[in-house]
């Protein structure tokens, strides 16, 4: 087994790994059979395809995940839990140890 030095990453790599100029990194876990996905902006297995339902690359089997644009905290559209103002209040009150006043019924 002859390892090679990637001059861009400055790392020793396995013979099956390669440097992807689009990712600007070396593909790990056996680079043979990997292609660059321009949607995910990373290299994935050739047997994977980009799923527009969940936004990830995976085998061609039916996708189990769905990308939701509805917040699972307040059920409002156009933001997720991370950007939810109610979730932020809950987190801050839990850190401070104060109860949160309910704004709903």
């Amino acid at each position: 087994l002859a390892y090679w030095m990637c001059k861009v990453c400055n790392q020793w790599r396995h013979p099956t790994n390669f440097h992807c100029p689009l990712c600007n990194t070396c593909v790990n876990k056996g680079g043979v059979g990997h292609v660059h996905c321009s949607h995910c902006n990373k290299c994935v297995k050739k047997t994977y395809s980009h799923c527009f339902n969940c936004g990830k690359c995976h085998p061609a089997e039916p996708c189990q995940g769905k990308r939701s644009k509805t917040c699972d905290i307040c059920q409002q559209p156009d933001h997720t839990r991370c950007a939810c103002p109610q979730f932020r209040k809950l987190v801050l009150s839990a850190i401070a140890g104060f109860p949160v006043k309910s704004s709903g019924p």
Side-chain angles (χ1 to χ4, degrees):
L1 237 30
Y3 286 83
W4 61 278
M5 171 63 86
C6 176
K7 295 185 186 328
V8 179
C9 294
N10 197 27
Q11 298 280 327
W12 287 97
R13 297 296 181 192
H14 190 269
T16 60
N17 294 1
F18 67 93
H19 186 87
C20 175
L22 300 172
C23 296
N24 198 28
T25 189
C26 286
V27 176
N28 291 325
K29 300 179 183 174
V32 176
H34 280 69
V35 293
H36 185 83
C37 174
S38 59
H39 301 286
C40 294
N41 199 27
K42 65 180 181 177
C43 288
V44 296
K45 294 179 182 179
K46 278 185 182 178
T47 57
Y48 286 17
S49 59
H50 188 79
C51 175
F52 291 97
N53 188 34
C54 68
K56 297 179 181 179
C57 287
H58 55 77
E61 60 197 34
C63 180
Q64 300 299 315
K66 293 185 178 181
R67 182 179 284 183
S68 174
K69 291 190 178 184
T70 302
C71 178
D72 61 342
I73 300 294
C74 67
Q75 308 304 317
Q76 296 297 314
D78 299 328
H79 71 267
T80 58
R81 172 191 298 240
C82 295
C84 180
Q86 288 184 16
F87 184 65
R88 182 172 167 78
K89 286 178 190 177
L90 288 171
V91 170
L92 291 175
S93 66
I95 292 170
F98 297 114
V100 178
K101 291 183 180 178
S102 176
S103 59

